[in-house]
């Protein structure tokens, strides 16, 4: 099943990058198809205006609803369809998580609505909610200038989980935040040479003793998670008091 990805933005060239790297390969293999659209193509004035002053006053500009609605009609259609996932990156959105990426990896269609200026007229989101499955999501607690970077990050997090995308799906199981890691951060990784600039690979990893190696890795994951992400430690993870 091919996943169709659409991107609506006033900077559609942001998404040219999706033609390279692994995503390019996935497109070639028919796993995903990518369509980037310039929102200004749905304007009708000579300046191709997509923004206006905020009702109620305030700084900055707000994206007008009309171009979005006409773009939706042409790109998605005018009939409700809950199988279409419409993502609005927003600083006021719910934190985007690995579990959200996992859920979206089985979607047949995802449409990213990339706002700029101060944001998009809220009626656009309300209309989309009446038609499709909408996700207002945030990458994190910092401010970007628009939704494009978030759309790219979410795309990578989702598409790499699409069955058939990763050459070795087993590698997904041991990553940070994966279910296989019990939500823990990934342990430190090493490869050859064994000694590098006076720094050595931990001996246990060279022991060939799989049980000891597994314990060392689990202990390191717990240590790192407790140190860096106490918010993820909603249980003791077997940490001795
Ligand atoms: N996702 C996300 C965001 C944003 C964001 C998203 C869309 C727009 C449209 C205008 N400004 C935006 C900022 N800022 N910080 C995040 N984590």
């Amino acid at each position: 099943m091919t996943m169709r990805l659409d991107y609506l933005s006033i900077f559609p060239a942001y998404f040219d990058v999706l033609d390279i790297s692994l995503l390019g390969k996935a497109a070639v293999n028919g796993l995903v198809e990518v369509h980037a659209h310039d929102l200004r193509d749905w304007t009708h004035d000579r300046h191709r205006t997509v923004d206006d002053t905020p009702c109620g006053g305030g700084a900055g500009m707000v994206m007008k609803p009309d171009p979005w609605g006409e773009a939706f009609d042409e790109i998605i259609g005018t009939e409700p369809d809950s199988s279409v996932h419409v993502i609005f990156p927003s600083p006021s959105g719910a934190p985007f998580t690995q579990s959200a990426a996992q859920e979206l990896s089985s979607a047949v269609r995802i449409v990213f609505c990339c706002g700029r200026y101060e944001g998009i007229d809220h009626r656009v989101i309300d209309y989309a909610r009446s038609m499709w499955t909408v996700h207002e999501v945030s990458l994190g607690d910092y401010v970007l200038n628009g939704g494009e970077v978030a759309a790219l990050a979410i795309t990578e997090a989702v598409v790499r989980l699409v069955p058939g995308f990763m050459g070795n799906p087993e590698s997904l199981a041991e990553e940070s935040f994966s279910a296989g890691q019990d939500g823990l951060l990934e342990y430190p990784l090493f490869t050859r040479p064994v000694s590098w600039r006076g720094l050595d690979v931990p001996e246990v990893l060279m022991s060939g003793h799989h049980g000891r190696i597994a314990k060392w890795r689990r202990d390191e994951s717990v240590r790192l998670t407790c140190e860096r992400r106490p918010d993820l430690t909603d249980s003791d993870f077997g940490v001795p008091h």
Side-chain angles (χ1 to χ4, degrees):
M1 176 88 71
T2 299
M3 175 186 279
R4 175 170 166 147
L5 302 171
D6 286 274
Y7 301 84
L8 260 172
S9 165
I10 60 172
F11 298 121
Y14 255 91
F15 303 100
D16 292 352
V17 71
L18 294 178
D19 294 338
I20 61 176
S21 81
L22 277 174
L23 213 49
K25 184 184 127 195
V28 167
N29 294 342
L31 277 177
V32 296
E33 62 177 78
V34 174
H35 302 268
H37 311 273
D38 185 344
L39 184 68
R40 294 188 194 276
D41 289 349
W42 287 276
T43 62
H44 306 292
D45 63 303
R46 64 195 295 266
H47 296 296
R48 309 184 84 204
T49 308
V50 293
D51 63 314
D52 200 344
T53 54
C55 295
M61 301 295 275
V62 175
M63 299 190 88
K64 296 161 55 69
D66 310 79
W68 290 97
E70 292 186 29
F72 287 161
D73 291 349
E74 185 172 331
I75 294 168
I76 311 176
T78 54
E79 294 300 319
D81 182 348
S82 62
S83 74
V84 176
H85 292 261
V86 180
I87 296 181
F88 291 90
S90 166
S92 56
F96 187 74
T97 62
Q98 186 68 14
S99 58
Q102 189 65 56
E103 284 175 32
L104 284 167
S105 66
S106 59
V108 175
R109 185 140 195 222
I110 302 176
V111 180
F112 290 90
C113 300
C114 303
R116 280 275 157 170
Y117 306 99
E118 297 305 310
I120 302 171
D121 184 302
H122 198 75
R123 290 168 294 179
V124 173
I125 297 160
D126 287 341
Y127 172 76
R129 286 195 187 282
S130 73
M131 296 286 283
W132 308 295
T133 301
V134 168
H135 311 263
E136 287 183 83
V137 295
S138 169
L139 275 195
D141 295 337
Y142 43 84
V143 182
L144 302 170
N145 289 330
E148 289 81 6
V149 167
L152 285 169
I154 293 166
T155 298
E156 181 153 319
V158 170
V159 172
R160 65 193 300 277
L161 298 176
V162 171
F165 176 82
M166 293 293 276
N168 173 18
E170 288 178 15
S171 63
L172 296 173
E174 296 193 348
E175 295 175 330
S176 294
F177 311 109
S178 67
Q181 277 289 98
D182 298 332
L184 290 168
L185 299 183
E186 190 170 13
Y187 45 80
L189 300 172
F190 300 86
T191 186
R192 289 183 290 265
V194 172
S195 189
W196 176 74
R197 296 189 177 189
L199 300 168
D200 296 344
V201 172
E203 279 187 31
V204 64
L205 298 181
M206 308 309 292
S207 69
H209 193 297
H210 298 298
R212 287 176 54 206
I213 291 169
K215 181 182 186 307
W216 181 88
R217 286 173 166 173
R218 171 75 182 193
D219 291 349
E220 283 296 290
S221 287
V222 170
R223 177 181 65 81
L224 284 173
T225 306
C226 291
E227 277 177 17
R228 297 176 182 171
R229 294 296 304 274
D231 59 299
L232 296 179
T233 57
D234 58 357
S235 69
D236 288 341
F237 288 113
V239 177
H241 285 293

